[in-house]
Amino acid sequence: MIPVAEFKQFAEHQPNFKVLKPWWDVLAEYLTVAMLMIGVFGCTLQVTQDKIICLPSHGPRENLSEASCWQLLLRGVSEHVGDLQELSGLRNNLDLQQYSFINQLCYETALHWYAKYFPYLVVIHTLNFMVCTSFWFKFPGTSSKIEHFISILGKCFDSPWTTRALSEVSGENHKDPAAAGRATVTMAAAAAGPGKAGEGEKEKMLAEPEKVVTEPPAVTLLDKKEGEQAKALFEKVKKFRMHVEEGDILYTMYIRQTVLKVCKFLAILVYNLVYVGKISFLVACTVDTSEVTGYASFCCSHTKAHLFSKLAFCYICFVCVYGIICFYTLFWLFHRPLKEYSFRSVREETGMGDIPDVKNDFAFMLHLIDQYDSLYSKRFAVFLSEVSESRLKQLNLNHEWTTEKLRQKLQRNACGRLELALCMLPGLPDTVFELSEVEALRLEAICDVTFPPGLSQLVHLQEISLLHSPARLPFSSQIFLRDHLKVIWVKCEELREVPLWVFGLRSLEELHLEGVFPPELARAANLESLRELKQLKVLSLRSNAGKVPASVTDVAGHLQRLSLHNDGARLLALNSLKKLAVLRELELVACGLERIPHAIFSLSALQELDLKDNHLRSIEEILSFQHCRKLVTLRLWHNQIAYVPEHIRKLRGLEQLYLSHNKLETLPTQLGMCSGLRLLDISHNGLHSLPAELGLLQNLQHLAVSYNALELLPDELFFCRKLRTLLLGYNNLSQLSPQVGALGALSRLELKGNRLEALPEELGNCGGLKKSGLLVEDTLYEGLPAEVRDRMEVE
C-alpha cells in the first residue's frame, strides 16, 4: 500500500496557488473529482464482485449470439409462466470449478474491452485531466516564477505600508479630489526625473501640491522594521518585474495545456459515445471447451453492465461540461489581450498616477488574479508606484536620521559657517529642516533631492553644496533661497545638468560650478543665465571649455574673483578677460597656457593671480605686471619654468611669489630688489645655490626652499630678521651657519632630509622656536645642549 503522506507534496502548494485559479479552473477541479469518484466506484465494484456468470447453451453453436441468448431467456420465462406446475430446468452436469473456468475464460474472450476496462479508463482519463490542469504549477520553467510571485503578492497584500499608502490617498481624495489629482500628476512628474520635463514645467507643477507630501494624514504609523521590510518589497517587485516581463512562458504554457485538454476532451468524448453501447447485460460466448466441459457455446450475464452503463452516461455528461469549460477558457485566452495589463482603473481609484502598465507573463498573472479577487492587484500596484516608493524612502530616512543624529554632524566649514554634510543617502530627510541653526547645507551623491516648502524653516541658511545631487525646487522654496542664499556649489557630470533655478537666485554672491563643458553647450542658454546674477562677486568654473564663455565676461561689471579650472584642456580666446575691470583675484588653473595671457596685464585692479598647473616655460612677459600696480600675490607654481627674468625687480609691490614645482636651477640677483616680498616659495626645483641678495628682503617672513639641491646657504640670508618660517628640508646641506641665531622671530624651521652632522647651539637664541616647530632628525635634536633643549620644550 502507498501511504497517503506520499501525495502530500502534490497538494502542499494548492492553498497558495488558489489566487491564480480562475473560476473555470476551480469548477474543472470539482468536475475531475466527480469523475474520479465515478472511476473509483466502478473499480471497487469491478474488484469486489463477480464479473460475469455463464451457462451452457443447448442451441447450435453457429447461431449463438446475444439475440439468441435473449430469445432463449424469454422463451424459458414464458414456458415457466404458462406452466406453473413444472419447476424443473435443464441439467448441465457441470461442477463448480468448470463454471468458474468458463466464467473467467468468457470474461477475457467474449466481453468487449470497453465494458471490461471502463472504470480504469475513467480513472486514467481523470488523472490526465488533473495533470493537465496543474502542470504549469509543477513545470520548472514556470513554477519558480509562480512561487516567487505568490510569495511577493502575499507580502504586498499584508504589508502595513500598503494600508498606509491607500489610506493616505483616500484621505487626500476625501479632502479635495481635484487637488489630489493635481498632486498625483505633480509627484509622478517629479519621480520621472529631469530628463522628461523642463525645469520650468517642474517648478509650476511643484508650486502648490507639495503640502500634500509634507503633511500626510497619520492613518497608520510604521516602525523602522516595517519600513525596511516595505523597502525590501519594492526592490523585490522591481527585480521580479524585470525578470518576468522578459518572456511569456507562463502564458504559452497555459495555452498549451488548455489546448491539450480540449484535444483530450474531444478524443475521450468521441470514443466513449461510440463504445458506450458495447456495455450489454447478456453476452454470447463461443469457446472450444467441449473436451473439458462438454459444451462449446455459452450465454453469459455481465452482472455490472446495467450500473456501468448508467455510470458511463453520467461520466459522458461530466466530460461534456468539462469540455464546455475548456472551450470557454480558450475563448478567454484568445479574445482578450492577456499579455498587456493596464492599471488605469487602479490609478483612477487610488490616485497614484504613475503606476506603470505591465506586459507578458507579469500581465497574464495579474489577469488571473483579477478573476480571483481584484483587490490583490490594487494592493499590489502600490509597490509598482515610484511615488509610493519615494514616500516610503522618505519615511525610512526620517526614522534613520533623527534631528538629534543630524545635529551631531554639524561642524564649521572652511568659511566658518555651521555646516550639515550628508553623503550618499537615498534622499533628503525631512528632519533636516528642523535644524534652524544650519548655515550651510552640503549634499553629496544624493540621487533624489526635492526641497520641500519646509526649507523656509532654515532661516540662517546661506550656503548650499550640490555635489552630484540633482535637486528640484518648488517655486515657494525658490523665493526663499533667492532672498537668503549667498553661496552655492554645484558639481555634476555635465554643465547642462545645472538646475535652472540656480540662475534665478538674484542675491547670490558666490557661484561654483563643476562639470564637463560639451561643445554644444557654448550655444545653449544654460550659462547665458549668468547675466541675471547682478550681485555675483565670486565665480568658479571647473570644466573643459575651449574658451571663456561670453556670459562669464558679461558679469564683469561686478565680478571680483574668477577661477577657471580647465582640467588640462587648452583655453583659448582670453581677450574677453579685459572686460573684468574690477576683478581682484584671477585663477587660470590647468588651462594649457604656454605663455602668460596679455589680457591679464589690462586688469588694473588685479591683486592675486594664480597660473598653477599650466605649461609655462618662459615668463618674459612678467615685466608687464608693472601695469598691475595692485598685484601682491603671484602664483606660478606647478609649471615648467626654467629661469626667472631679471626684470622681476620691477615688481616692487609684490608680497607673495610662488615658484615651486618648476625647473629652476638659479635665481636672478635682482630678486632681492623686490623689497615688498613677505613670502617666497621656491621649493621642488633644482637650485644648487641662493643669491646673497636675498638678504635684502627685509620684509621676508616665509621662505620655502625644500626639495632642492642646496649645499650651502649664504650668510646674508640670516639678515632677514623678520623670517618666521624657514623650510630647508631635503637638500644637500652639510652644516647650518651659527648666524641662524639672529632670527629671533623664527617659529618654524625644517631641516629634515639633509646631511647635517650637528646643529649649532645658537638655535637657542631663536626665542620663538619651540620643539614642535623644529622639524629635524631625533639624533640631531638630541645633540643640542641640554639647556637649549629645555628652553625649546618650554611652551
Side-chain angles (χ1 to χ4, degrees), residues 345-357:
S345 60
V346 180
R347 289 194 290 264
E348 294 174 355
E349 182 178 354
T350 62
M352 298 180 186
D354 70 319
I355 300 176
D357 294 337

Side-chain angles (χ1 to χ4, degrees), residues 769-775 778 781-782 789 791-795:
L769 187 62
K770 303 298 180 183
K771 181 182 179 181
S772 58
L774 179 60
L775 303 179
D778 294 339
Y781 178 75
E782 296 297 331
R789 285 186 279 117
R791 192 180 303 119
M792 288 185 176
E793 293 174 2
V794 175
E795 296 295 335

Side-chain angles (χ1 to χ4, degrees), residues 27-61:
L27 181 57
E29 283 188 0
Y30 282 108
L31 288 174
T32 54
V33 171
M35 289 187 284
L36 184 63
M37 294 298 295
I38 291 175
V40 172
F41 179 65
C43 291
T44 304
L45 293 177
Q46 190 88 328
V47 173
T48 58
Q49 296 184 7
D50 292 335
K51 301 173 183 177
I52 194 171
I53 300 174
C54 299
L55 291 176
S57 174
H58 295 275
R61 175 179 178 180

Side-chain angles (χ1 to χ4, degrees), residues 32 91 519 697 767:
T32 54
R91 188 176 299 275
L697 303 176

Side-chain angles (χ1 to χ4, degrees), residues 221-411:
L221 296 178
L222 266 70
D223 57 23
K224 183 176 180 180
K225 181 179 179 181
E226 291 172 338
E228 292 297 327
Q229 291 174 347
K231 180 180 178 181
L233 273 179
F234 271 105
E235 293 298 323
K236 287 183 178 180
V237 170
K238 190 178 300 182
K239 292 180 180 179
F240 178 76
R241 178 189 172 192
M242 293 176 58
H243 175 62
V244 175
E245 280 191 320
E246 293 177 353
D248 58 353
I249 185 173
L250 293 176
Y251 176 74
T252 305
M253 187 62 68
Y254 193 83
I255 289 180
R256 288 175 178 176
Q257 73 177 26
T258 305
V259 171
L260 181 61
K261 287 192 293 185
V262 170
C263 295
K264 292 178 62 176
F265 151 73
L266 294 175
I268 292 172
L269 180 64
V270 168
Y271 93 81
N272 272 275
L273 291 176
V274 171
Y275 290 114
V276 69
K278 299 297 182 179
I279 303 177
S280 58
F281 181 74
L282 286 180
V283 179
C285 176
T286 303
V287 290
D288 190 8
T289 59
S290 56
E291 295 181 357
V292 178
T293 61
Y295 299 95
S297 59
F298 302 88
C299 287
C300 302
S301 170
H302 186 195
T303 58
K304 294 176 287 295
H306 182 72
L307 179 59
F308 278 7
S309 62
K310 299 298 183 290
L311 291 178
F313 283 111
C314 183
Y315 171 68
I316 291 174
C317 292
F318 282 134
V319 170
C320 290
V321 176
Y322 188 90
I324 294 173
I325 294 174
C326 292
F327 279 112
Y328 176 82
T329 306
L330 282 180
F331 172 78
W332 181 77
L333 286 172
F334 293 107
H335 179 69
R336 297 185 59 183
L338 300 180
K339 296 178 69 173
E340 296 178 0
Y341 188 90
S342 174
F343 286 100
R344 182 176 60 183
S345 60
V346 180
R347 289 194 290 264
E348 294 174 355
E349 182 178 354
T350 62
M352 298 180 186
D354 70 319
I355 300 176
D357 294 337
V358 295
K359 59 183 181 178
N360 288 338
D361 282 342
F362 203 0
F364 179 62
M365 286 189 288
L366 290 174
H367 280 294
L368 291 178
I369 286 177
D370 283 346
Q371 298 296 323
Y372 181 79
D373 190 349
S374 60
L375 182 61
Y376 277 89
S377 59
K378 175 182 176 181
R379 295 178 69 89
F380 186 77
V382 172
F383 289 87
L384 293 172
S385 168
E386 292 186 6
V387 171
S388 176
E389 185 177 8
S390 63
R391 288 179 179 177
L392 176 63
K393 289 180 178 179
Q394 195 66 38
L395 186 65
N396 288 337
L397 275 175
N398 297 341
H399 276 304
E400 181 179 359
W401 295 93
T402 60
T403 306
E404 294 74 15
K405 185 176 180 179
L406 290 174
R407 188 169 279 114
Q408 294 174 1
K409 294 178 65 65
L410 293 176
Q411 57 183 0

